[in-house]
Amino acid sequence: LVTAQIVADIFVNIDVPDSILVERVVGRRTDPKTGKIYHMTFSPPDDEEVEARLVHRSDDTEEKVVVRLQQFHANIGAVKDYYKDITVSVDGRATPNEVSNEVREAVRQKL
């Protein structure tokens, strides 16, 4: 961003414990016909026909998510340090609508 002379007004950190992120990713399924994403616990399909054709991505396993999270944690510290003066943290354990509203409000307040 610095090279492109882009200055951020806000850095939104959506804080979610790793265990919840793993659960969210591992339960995710995609309908290859429609492209719609479901979660087997939080938003399963209502239709048995849809459920039967759902696909579980090969990289949505606990082992692969843990590796991605390790990479994230290895790098996020430098990013957070750089943007510490403009960081707003949001509790990502809330519902999607609540998180969206909180992010929207944080951005609105900064602009």
Side-chain angles (χ1 to χ4, degrees), residues 25-61:
V25 172
V26 170
R28 181 170 55 186
R29 303 291 187 278
T30 304
D31 181 348
K33 186 174 180 179
T34 65
K36 184 171 180 180
I37 297 172
Y38 294 91
H39 191 280
M40 299 314 291
T41 302
F42 305 121
S43 60
D46 295 329
D47 186 317
E48 288 180 17
E49 181 181 333
V50 172
E51 185 173 351
R53 68 176 180 245
L54 294 181
V55 175
H56 190 211
R57 286 179 26 176
S58 62
D59 62 339
D60 281 353
T61 65

Side-chain angles (χ1 to χ4, degrees), residues 61-78:
T61 65
E62 184 171 352
E63 296 79 19
K64 291 187 179 180
V65 173
V66 168
V67 169
R68 292 196 310 249
L69 285 170
Q70 288 169 343
Q71 292 169 343
F72 170 80
H73 290 300
N75 294 297
I76 192 61

Side-chain angles (χ1 to χ4, degrees), residues 1 10 14 18 23-25 28 37 42 48 52-53 55 58 67 78 81 85 88 95 97 99 104:
L1 294 176
I10 186 172
I14 301 177
D18 287 357
E23 179 184 16
R24 288 178 180 175
V25 172
R28 181 170 55 186
I37 297 172
F42 305 121
E48 288 180 17
R53 68 176 180 245
V55 175
S58 62
V67 169
D81 286 345
D85 295 334
V88 174
T95 68
N97 283 340
V99 172
R104 195 175 301 112

